[in-house]
Amino acid sequence: MINVVVVGGGWAGCAAALAAAKAGAQVVLLERTDLLLGTGLVGGIFRNNGRFTAAEEAIAMGGGDLFVAMDANSRHRGIHFPGHSHASFYDVTTMEPLVKKILQNYGIDVRSRTRVANVVKYRKKIQYLVNDNDEIIQGDAFVDTTGTSGPMGNCLKYGNGCAMCILRCPTFGPRVSITAKADVKEIIGKKADGSYGAMSGSCKINKDSLRPELKDQLEKEGMVVIPLPENLKKTGMLGKKACSQYAIADYAENIVLIDTGHAKLMTPFFPLDALRTIPGLERARYEDPYSGGVGNSIRYLGMAPCSHSLKVDGVDNLFCAGEKAGIMVGHTEAVVTGLLAGHNAVRCCLDMQYLELPSELAAGDFIAFIHEQMTTEEGLRLRYTFSGSVYFERMKKLELYSSQRGEVNDRVTKTNLTDIYNTCLV
Ligand SMILES: Cc1cc2nc3c(=O)[nH]c(=O)nc-3n(C[C@H](O)[C@H](O)[C@H](O)COP(=O)(O)OP(=O)(O)OC[C@H]3O[C@@H](n4cnc5c(N)ncnc54)[C@H](O)[C@@H]3O)c2cc1C
């Protein structure tokens, strides 16, 4: 029996665990908090722009379970909002238990409140992990999907960290990078001004704190755009955003609210007093993170150097995915890379050649492009997503973007990768 251990239960870790289980491994997924999905607990937007293509590629390759679950749990579908087409919004309040059930149905041992605190290596291989109760967790291959935020101290050092951020670091103990513990030097992303990290700019507003007519409109239409008066337009804040797909003028000139179960505010760093001067938002208050008016979740502080197969450089049995694998933003991006890392962890145990996704597929081109960009100072200041900014432009230029399911299926068929993630390798 092959044992794969995945550390970090965000979207990337859930996808890695799923792919490893489908490929025939016995899988343990370790998550330090009491909830899976990590930063996915506050997002919700998917299938927008090129994320549609990437999701359909993964489905055609046999790794569709998590996208099917997001689809089934969507509050709104086919929504157009500034700069984005055919978006769906999953319900962030009910997504987590559904994902947990799916993983458990595949026989994955999901262990929440299990924080990995140390890594024991022999030569170039991880032997076992140690959690903060001093328990040993053994495996043949490991996947690092711990994200890139680091502990609370990092937030305070590199950005407007918020002690009550989504990942609740002080409650469950700091995040620990398995890659760093395995003595690999990590890569740090930068903001446009050259300072370290990147800040997420979207926050949740409690829906009941909106004026009832505004809440009704939001629930009916899925999103609301409210033009801002001249004195509240803050174009300068856009450059700080982690999600560069929303760093466009529409988000500085308007309040854009999205219904993900909460009212997701797409405008960065709006102080509460200013927000409350806008009609309909007079009683508004932030939910998680409560300090939404200042910022939240400084990220991209510790990425693993890795190959296109997502094997971490310098460690023979360690893979990575999601934000850990490069400056990528998004649930879709985390799932697509998670599937590849989990699948390759099983190949590693079987001494098989690793799978690399070809450049004819958006996911393959995306991974190779990010890795190339991360070798330059300029590239480290950008963020990459299928849904906007530099990478979506590239997708369109290379004709990799498609919103037609049949077209994407044909493309996957041509690469001989149909159902690859459904294939038991053991
Ligand atoms: C406010 C906000 C809004 C967003 N909105 C969207 C959106 O609408 N759509 C979208 O596509 N993307 C959105 N994103 C981006 C998206 O959420 C992330 O890019 C993606 O989900 C990252 O997934 P991940 O699995 O790589 O990492 P994370 O979500 O960071 O997950 C890492 C997990 O690892 C766990 N962990 C860390 N250390 C350890 C350890 N030592 N032991 C055990 N577990 C550990 C953490 O607790 C966490 O659960 C948003 C991000 C934020 C912050």
Short mmCIF file of all heavy atoms in Angstrom, two decimals, residues 274-331:
data_model
loop_
_atom_site.label_atom_id
_atom_site.label_comp_id
_atom_site.label_asym_id
_atom_site.label_seq_id
_atom_site.Cartn_x
_atom_site.Cartn_y
_atom_site.Cartn_z
N ALA A 274 -16.13 55.61 5.70
CA ALA A 274 -16.34 56.03 4.31
C ALA A 274 -17.42 55.16 3.66
O ALA A 274 -18.30 55.65 2.96
CB ALA A 274 -15.04 55.93 3.53
N LEU A 275 -17.35 53.87 3.94
CA LEU A 275 -18.32 52.92 3.37
C LEU A 275 -19.75 53.30 3.77
O LEU A 275 -20.68 53.24 2.97
CB LEU A 275 -17.99 51.52 3.88
CG LEU A 275 -18.61 50.33 3.18
CD1 LEU A 275 -18.09 50.24 1.75
CD2 LEU A 275 -18.28 49.03 3.92
N ARG A 276 -19.87 53.76 5.02
CA ARG A 276 -21.21 54.05 5.55
C ARG A 276 -21.81 55.35 5.01
O ARG A 276 -22.96 55.66 5.29
CB ARG A 276 -21.16 54.08 7.08
CG ARG A 276 -21.03 52.70 7.67
CD ARG A 276 -21.00 52.73 9.17
NE ARG A 276 -21.01 51.38 9.73
CZ ARG A 276 -20.83 51.12 11.01
NH1 ARG A 276 -20.64 52.09 11.87
NH2 ARG A 276 -20.86 49.87 11.44
N THR A 277 -21.02 56.11 4.23
CA THR A 277 -21.58 57.33 3.62
C THR A 277 -22.31 56.98 2.31
O THR A 277 -22.95 57.82 1.70
CB THR A 277 -20.48 58.38 3.30
OG1 THR A 277 -19.57 57.79 2.35
CG2 THR A 277 -19.72 58.81 4.55
N ILE A 278 -22.22 55.73 1.88
CA ILE A 278 -22.82 55.32 0.60
C ILE A 278 -24.26 54.85 0.84
O ILE A 278 -24.49 54.03 1.74
CB ILE A 278 -21.97 54.21 -0.05
CG1 ILE A 278 -20.57 54.75 -0.33
CG2 ILE A 278 -22.61 53.67 -1.32
CD1 ILE A 278 -19.53 53.69 -0.51
N PRO A 279 -25.22 55.36 0.05
CA PRO A 279 -26.61 54.97 0.26
C PRO A 279 -26.78 53.44 0.21
O PRO A 279 -26.27 52.79 -0.70
CB PRO A 279 -27.35 55.64 -0.92
CG PRO A 279 -26.46 56.77 -1.31
CD PRO A 279 -25.06 56.34 -1.03
N GLY A 280 -27.46 52.91 1.20
CA GLY A 280 -27.68 51.46 1.28
C GLY A 280 -26.71 50.79 2.24
O GLY A 280 -26.94 49.68 2.71
N LEU A 281 -25.58 51.49 2.50
CA LEU A 281 -24.53 50.87 3.34
C LEU A 281 -24.35 51.63 4.67
O LEU A 281 -23.31 51.51 5.32
CB LEU A 281 -23.21 50.87 2.56
CG LEU A 281 -23.20 49.93 1.35
CD1 LEU A 281 -22.22 50.40 0.29
CD2 LEU A 281 -22.85 48.51 1.77
N GLU A 282 -25.37 52.39 5.04
CA GLU A 282 -25.24 53.25 6.24
C GLU A 282 -24.95 52.46 7.52
O GLU A 282 -24.34 52.97 8.45
CB GLU A 282 -26.55 54.05 6.47
CG GLU A 282 -26.91 55.03 5.37
CD GLU A 282 -27.71 54.39 4.22
OE1 GLU A 282 -27.83 53.15 4.19
OE2 GLU A 282 -28.18 55.13 3.35
N ARG A 283 -25.41 51.19 7.56
CA ARG A 283 -25.20 50.39 8.78
C ARG A 283 -24.21 49.25 8.53
O ARG A 283 -24.11 48.30 9.31
CB ARG A 283 -26.54 49.78 9.23
CG ARG A 283 -27.59 50.81 9.66
CD ARG A 283 -28.86 50.10 10.11
NE ARG A 283 -29.30 49.15 9.09
CZ ARG A 283 -29.87 47.98 9.35
NH1 ARG A 283 -30.05 47.59 10.59
NH2 ARG A 283 -30.25 47.17 8.37
N ALA A 284 -23.51 49.33 7.41
CA ALA A 284 -22.64 48.20 7.00
C ALA A 284 -21.61 47.87 8.07
O ALA A 284 -21.09 48.75 8.75
CB ALA A 284 -21.93 48.55 5.69
N ARG A 285 -21.32 46.58 8.21
CA ARG A 285 -20.18 46.18 9.04
C ARG A 285 -19.51 44.96 8.41
O ARG A 285 -20.15 44.15 7.75
CB ARG A 285 -20.58 45.91 10.49
CG ARG A 285 -21.60 44.82 10.69
CD ARG A 285 -21.62 44.39 12.13
NE ARG A 285 -20.41 43.67 12.47
CZ ARG A 285 -20.18 43.15 13.66
NH1 ARG A 285 -21.04 43.32 14.64
NH2 ARG A 285 -19.07 42.47 13.90
N TYR A 286 -18.22 44.93 8.60
CA TYR A 286 -17.46 43.82 8.03
C TYR A 286 -17.68 42.56 8.84
O TYR A 286 -17.86 42.60 10.05
CB TYR A 286 -15.97 44.15 8.03
CG TYR A 286 -15.59 45.16 6.98
CD1 TYR A 286 -15.18 46.44 7.32
CD2 TYR A 286 -15.66 44.82 5.63
CE1 TYR A 286 -14.84 47.37 6.34
CE2 TYR A 286 -15.32 45.74 4.65
CZ TYR A 286 -14.92 47.01 5.01
OH TYR A 286 -14.60 47.92 4.05
N GLU A 287 -17.68 41.44 8.10
CA GLU A 287 -17.61 40.14 8.77
C GLU A 287 -16.14 39.75 8.70
O GLU A 287 -15.27 40.58 8.60
CB GLU A 287 -18.48 39.14 8.03
CG GLU A 287 -19.95 39.48 8.15
CD GLU A 287 -20.78 38.27 8.50
OE1 GLU A 287 -20.76 37.32 7.72
OE2 GLU A 287 -21.44 38.30 9.54
N ASP A 288 -15.87 38.50 8.66
CA ASP A 288 -14.52 38.00 8.58
C ASP A 288 -13.83 38.51 7.30
O ASP A 288 -14.33 38.23 6.22
CB ASP A 288 -14.63 36.47 8.54
CG ASP A 288 -13.37 35.78 8.93
OD1 ASP A 288 -12.40 36.48 9.22
OD2 ASP A 288 -13.37 34.55 8.93
N PRO A 289 -12.77 39.21 7.31
CA PRO A 289 -12.05 39.71 8.48
C PRO A 289 -12.67 41.03 8.96
O PRO A 289 -12.97 41.90 8.16
CB PRO A 289 -10.65 39.94 7.94
CG PRO A 289 -10.88 40.29 6.50
CD PRO A 289 -12.11 39.56 6.07
N TYR A 290 -12.82 41.14 10.24
CA TYR A 290 -13.47 42.33 10.79
C TYR A 290 -12.72 43.60 10.47
O TYR A 290 -13.29 44.68 10.44
CB TYR A 290 -13.65 42.16 12.31
CG TYR A 290 -14.65 41.08 12.63
CD1 TYR A 290 -14.24 39.83 13.06
CD2 TYR A 290 -16.01 41.31 12.47
CE1 TYR A 290 -15.16 38.82 13.33
CE2 TYR A 290 -16.94 40.31 12.72
CZ TYR A 290 -16.51 39.07 13.15
OH TYR A 290 -17.42 38.08 13.39
N SER A 291 -11.42 43.48 10.24
CA SER A 291 -10.64 44.68 9.92
C SER A 291 -10.57 44.89 8.41
O SER A 291 -9.59 45.40 7.89
CB SER A 291 -9.22 44.54 10.46
OG SER A 291 -8.55 43.54 9.73
N GLY A 292 -11.62 44.49 7.70
CA GLY A 292 -11.64 44.60 6.24
C GLY A 292 -11.32 45.98 5.72
O GLY A 292 -10.79 46.14 4.62
N GLY A 293 -11.62 47.01 6.49
CA GLY A 293 -11.34 48.37 6.04
C GLY A 293 -9.86 48.68 6.01
O GLY A 293 -9.44 49.69 5.42
N VAL A 294 -9.05 47.84 6.63
CA VAL A 294 -7.60 48.07 6.67
C VAL A 294 -6.89 47.12 5.69
O VAL A 294 -5.98 47.50 4.98
CB VAL A 294 -7.05 47.84 8.10
CG1 VAL A 294 -5.56 48.09 8.16
CG2 VAL A 294 -7.78 48.72 9.09
N GLY A 295 -7.36 45.89 5.64
CA GLY A 295 -6.74 44.89 4.76
C GLY A 295 -6.83 43.54 5.42
O GLY A 295 -7.43 43.40 6.48
N ASN A 296 -6.29 42.53 4.78
CA ASN A 296 -6.29 41.21 5.40
C ASN A 296 -5.32 40.29 4.70
O ASN A 296 -4.89 40.54 3.59
CB ASN A 296 -7.69 40.60 5.35
CG ASN A 296 -8.15 40.34 3.93
OD1 ASN A 296 -7.66 39.44 3.27
ND2 ASN A 296 -9.08 41.13 3.45
N SER A 297 -5.01 39.21 5.37
CA SER A 297 -4.31 38.06 4.80
C SER A 297 -3.17 38.37 3.84
O SER A 297 -3.25 38.10 2.66
CB SER A 297 -5.32 37.14 4.09
OG SER A 297 -5.74 37.68 2.87
N ILE A 298 -2.10 38.92 4.35
CA ILE A 298 -0.91 39.14 3.52
C ILE A 298 -0.40 37.76 3.06
O ILE A 298 -0.30 36.84 3.86
CB ILE A 298 0.15 39.94 4.31
CG1 ILE A 298 1.24 40.44 3.40
CG2 ILE A 298 0.71 39.22 5.49
CD1 ILE A 298 0.87 41.71 2.69
N ARG A 299 -0.15 37.63 1.76
CA ARG A 299 0.19 36.29 1.20
C ARG A 299 1.41 36.34 0.28
O ARG A 299 2.00 37.38 0.10
CB ARG A 299 -1.02 35.76 0.42
CG ARG A 299 -2.06 35.14 1.32
CD ARG A 299 -3.48 35.42 0.86
NE ARG A 299 -3.79 34.84 -0.43
CZ ARG A 299 -4.62 35.42 -1.30
NH1 ARG A 299 -5.20 36.57 -1.02
NH2 ARG A 299 -4.88 34.85 -2.45
N TYR A 300 1.74 35.18 -0.28
CA TYR A 300 2.86 35.00 -1.22
C TYR A 300 4.22 35.24 -0.57
O TYR A 300 5.15 35.75 -1.17
CB TYR A 300 2.65 35.86 -2.48
CG TYR A 300 1.33 35.52 -3.11
CD1 TYR A 300 0.23 36.33 -2.91
CD2 TYR A 300 1.17 34.33 -3.79
CE1 TYR A 300 -1.01 35.98 -3.40
CE2 TYR A 300 -0.07 33.96 -4.29
CZ TYR A 300 -1.15 34.79 -4.08
OH TYR A 300 -2.37 34.41 -4.56
N LEU A 301 4.33 34.87 0.72
CA LEU A 301 5.59 35.07 1.43
C LEU A 301 6.50 33.85 1.37
O LEU A 301 7.66 33.94 1.73
CB LEU A 301 5.30 35.42 2.89
CG LEU A 301 4.65 36.79 3.09
CD1 LEU A 301 4.17 36.96 4.52
CD2 LEU A 301 5.62 37.91 2.73
N GLY A 302 5.98 32.70 0.96
CA GLY A 302 6.86 31.52 0.95
C GLY A 302 6.43 30.51 -0.09
O GLY A 302 5.66 29.60 0.20
N MET A 303 6.92 30.68 -1.30
CA MET A 303 6.57 29.72 -2.36
C MET A 303 7.71 28.73 -2.57
O MET A 303 8.88 29.08 -2.41
CB MET A 303 6.27 30.47 -3.65
CG MET A 303 4.97 31.26 -3.55
SD MET A 303 4.80 32.48 -4.81
CE MET A 303 6.00 33.70 -4.37
N ALA A 304 7.34 27.51 -2.94
CA ALA A 304 8.34 26.46 -3.11
C ALA A 304 8.92 26.49 -4.52
O ALA A 304 8.15 26.52 -5.48
CB ALA A 304 7.70 25.11 -2.85
N PRO A 305 10.24 26.45 -4.65
CA PRO A 305 10.79 26.27 -6.00
C PRO A 305 10.44 24.85 -6.45
O PRO A 305 10.65 23.89 -5.70
CB PRO A 305 12.30 26.44 -5.79
CG PRO A 305 12.54 26.15 -4.35
CD PRO A 305 11.27 26.46 -3.61
N CYS A 306 9.86 24.72 -7.63
CA CYS A 306 9.43 23.38 -8.06
C CYS A 306 9.46 23.26 -9.58
O CYS A 306 9.53 24.26 -10.29
CB CYS A 306 8.02 23.08 -7.54
SG CYS A 306 6.76 24.22 -8.11
N SER A 307 9.36 22.01 -10.04
CA SER A 307 9.36 21.76 -11.49
C SER A 307 7.92 21.86 -12.01
O SER A 307 6.98 22.02 -11.23
CB SER A 307 9.89 20.35 -11.74
OG SER A 307 8.96 19.43 -11.18
N HIS A 308 7.74 21.70 -13.33
CA HIS A 308 6.39 21.76 -13.89
C HIS A 308 5.54 20.57 -13.44
O HIS A 308 4.32 20.60 -13.56
CB HIS A 308 6.44 21.81 -15.42
CG HIS A 308 7.18 23.01 -15.96
ND1 HIS A 308 7.44 24.12 -15.19
CD2 HIS A 308 7.69 23.27 -17.19
CE1 HIS A 308 8.11 25.01 -15.91
NE2 HIS A 308 8.28 24.52 -17.13
N SER A 309 6.18 19.51 -12.93
CA SER A 309 5.40 18.38 -12.40
C SER A 309 4.98 18.68 -10.96
O SER A 309 4.28 17.88 -10.34
CB SER A 309 6.25 17.11 -12.42
OG SER A 309 7.33 17.24 -11.51
N LEU A 310 5.43 19.80 -10.43
CA LEU A 310 5.16 20.27 -9.07
C LEU A 310 5.91 19.51 -7.99
O LEU A 310 5.54 19.52 -6.82
CB LEU A 310 3.64 20.33 -8.78
CG LEU A 310 2.84 21.20 -9.78
CD1 LEU A 310 1.38 21.28 -9.38
CD2 LEU A 310 3.42 22.60 -9.92
N LYS A 311 7.02 18.87 -8.39
CA LYS A 311 7.93 18.30 -7.39
C LYS A 311 8.81 19.42 -6.84
O LYS A 311 9.32 20.23 -7.63
CB LYS A 311 8.79 17.19 -7.97
CG LYS A 311 9.47 16.40 -6.84
CD LYS A 311 10.55 15.46 -7.31
CE LYS A 311 11.88 16.16 -7.57
NZ LYS A 311 12.52 16.73 -6.37
N VAL A 312 8.93 19.48 -5.53
CA VAL A 312 9.75 20.53 -4.91
C VAL A 312 11.23 20.24 -5.17
O VAL A 312 11.69 19.11 -4.98
CB VAL A 312 9.45 20.60 -3.39
CG1 VAL A 312 10.38 21.60 -2.70
CG2 VAL A 312 7.99 20.98 -3.15
N ASP A 313 11.95 21.25 -5.62
CA ASP A 313 13.38 21.10 -5.90
C ASP A 313 14.13 20.66 -4.63
O ASP A 313 13.92 21.22 -3.56
CB ASP A 313 14.00 22.44 -6.36
CG ASP A 313 13.42 22.90 -7.70
OD1 ASP A 313 12.68 22.10 -8.33
OD2 ASP A 313 13.68 24.05 -8.08
N GLY A 314 14.98 19.67 -4.78
CA GLY A 314 15.88 19.30 -3.68
C GLY A 314 15.31 18.28 -2.70
O GLY A 314 16.00 17.84 -1.79
N VAL A 315 14.03 17.95 -2.82
CA VAL A 315 13.46 16.90 -1.95
C VAL A 315 12.79 15.88 -2.87
O VAL A 315 11.92 16.22 -3.65
CB VAL A 315 12.43 17.46 -0.94
CG1 VAL A 315 11.99 16.37 0.03
CG2 VAL A 315 12.98 18.66 -0.19
N ASP A 316 13.21 14.62 -2.75
CA ASP A 316 12.77 13.61 -3.74
C ASP A 316 11.32 13.19 -3.63
O ASP A 316 10.75 12.71 -4.60
CB ASP A 316 13.66 12.36 -3.63
CG ASP A 316 15.07 12.64 -4.16
OD1 ASP A 316 15.24 13.69 -4.82
OD2 ASP A 316 15.98 11.83 -3.90
N ASN A 317 10.72 13.34 -2.44
CA ASN A 317 9.34 12.85 -2.30
C ASN A 317 8.39 13.94 -1.78
O ASN A 317 7.45 13.66 -1.05
CB ASN A 317 9.28 11.61 -1.38
CG ASN A 317 9.80 11.91 0.01
OD1 ASN A 317 10.42 12.94 0.25
ND2 ASN A 317 9.54 11.00 0.94
N LEU A 318 8.66 15.18 -2.18
CA LEU A 318 7.78 16.29 -1.77
C LEU A 318 7.25 17.04 -2.99
O LEU A 318 8.02 17.44 -3.87
CB LEU A 318 8.54 17.26 -0.84
CG LEU A 318 7.75 18.47 -0.34
CD1 LEU A 318 6.53 18.05 0.51
CD2 LEU A 318 8.65 19.41 0.49
N PHE A 319 5.93 17.22 -3.02
CA PHE A 319 5.26 17.96 -4.09
C PHE A 319 4.56 19.17 -3.48
O PHE A 319 4.43 19.25 -2.26
CB PHE A 319 4.26 17.02 -4.81
CG PHE A 319 4.98 15.90 -5.52
CD1 PHE A 319 5.44 14.79 -4.80
CD2 PHE A 319 5.26 15.99 -6.88
CE1 PHE A 319 6.15 13.79 -5.43
CE2 PHE A 319 5.97 14.97 -7.51
CZ PHE A 319 6.41 13.88 -6.78
N CYS A 320 4.12 20.08 -4.31
CA CYS A 320 3.44 21.26 -3.78
C CYS A 320 2.34 21.69 -4.75
O CYS A 320 2.36 21.30 -5.93
CB CYS A 320 4.43 22.40 -3.55
SG CYS A 320 5.23 22.95 -5.07
N ALA A 321 1.42 22.51 -4.27
CA ALA A 321 0.34 22.97 -5.16
C ALA A 321 -0.31 24.21 -4.56
O ALA A 321 -0.03 24.59 -3.42
CB ALA A 321 -0.71 21.88 -5.34
N GLY A 322 -1.17 24.83 -5.35
CA GLY A 322 -1.86 26.04 -4.90
C GLY A 322 -0.87 27.19 -4.79
O GLY A 322 0.15 27.23 -5.49
N GLU A 323 -1.14 28.09 -3.88
CA GLU A 323 -0.26 29.26 -3.74
C GLU A 323 1.17 28.85 -3.41
O GLU A 323 2.12 29.55 -3.73
CB GLU A 323 -0.82 30.19 -2.67
CG GLU A 323 -2.13 30.86 -3.11
CD GLU A 323 -2.64 31.91 -2.14
OE1 GLU A 323 -1.97 32.21 -1.14
OE2 GLU A 323 -3.74 32.44 -2.40
N LYS A 324 1.32 27.70 -2.76
CA LYS A 324 2.66 27.22 -2.41
C LYS A 324 3.51 26.98 -3.67
O LYS A 324 4.73 27.06 -3.64
CB LYS A 324 2.52 25.90 -1.63
CG LYS A 324 3.73 25.47 -0.90
CD LYS A 324 3.82 26.15 0.44
CE LYS A 324 5.22 26.57 0.73
NZ LYS A 324 5.32 27.45 1.88
N ALA A 325 2.83 26.66 -4.79
CA ALA A 325 3.56 26.29 -6.01
C ALA A 325 3.85 27.48 -6.92
O ALA A 325 4.43 27.30 -7.99
CB ALA A 325 2.78 25.23 -6.77
N GLY A 326 3.47 28.68 -6.53
CA GLY A 326 3.75 29.84 -7.38
C GLY A 326 2.77 30.96 -7.14
O GLY A 326 1.77 30.80 -6.43
N ILE A 327 3.03 32.12 -7.77
CA ILE A 327 2.20 33.30 -7.48
C ILE A 327 0.88 33.20 -8.21
O ILE A 327 0.58 33.98 -9.10
CB ILE A 327 2.89 34.62 -7.90
CG1 ILE A 327 4.38 34.56 -7.57
CG2 ILE A 327 2.26 35.80 -7.18
CD1 ILE A 327 5.12 35.81 -7.95
N MET A 328 0.09 32.20 -7.85
CA MET A 328 -1.20 32.05 -8.51
C MET A 328 -2.31 32.41 -7.53
O MET A 328 -2.18 32.20 -6.33
CB MET A 328 -1.39 30.62 -9.01
CG MET A 328 -1.35 29.58 -7.95
SD MET A 328 -1.42 27.92 -8.63
CE MET A 328 0.28 27.59 -9.01
N VAL A 329 -3.36 32.99 -8.07
CA VAL A 329 -4.48 33.40 -7.23
C VAL A 329 -5.72 32.63 -7.64
O VAL A 329 -6.09 32.64 -8.81
CB VAL A 329 -4.79 34.91 -7.42
CG1 VAL A 329 -5.91 35.34 -6.48
CG2 VAL A 329 -3.56 35.75 -7.21
N GLY A 330 -6.36 31.97 -6.71
CA GLY A 330 -7.69 31.45 -7.02
C GLY A 330 -7.94 30.02 -6.59
O GLY A 330 -7.03 29.21 -6.46
N HIS A 331 -9.22 29.74 -6.39
CA HIS A 331 -9.65 28.38 -6.03
C HIS A 331 -9.39 27.44 -7.20
O HIS A 331 -8.91 26.32 -7.02
CB HIS A 331 -11.15 28.34 -5.71
CG HIS A 331 -11.64 29.43 -4.82
ND1 HIS A 331 -10.90 29.95 -3.79
CD2 HIS A 331 -12.82 30.10 -4.80
CE1 HIS A 331 -11.59 30.88 -3.17
NE2 HIS A 331 -12.76 31.00 -3.77
#
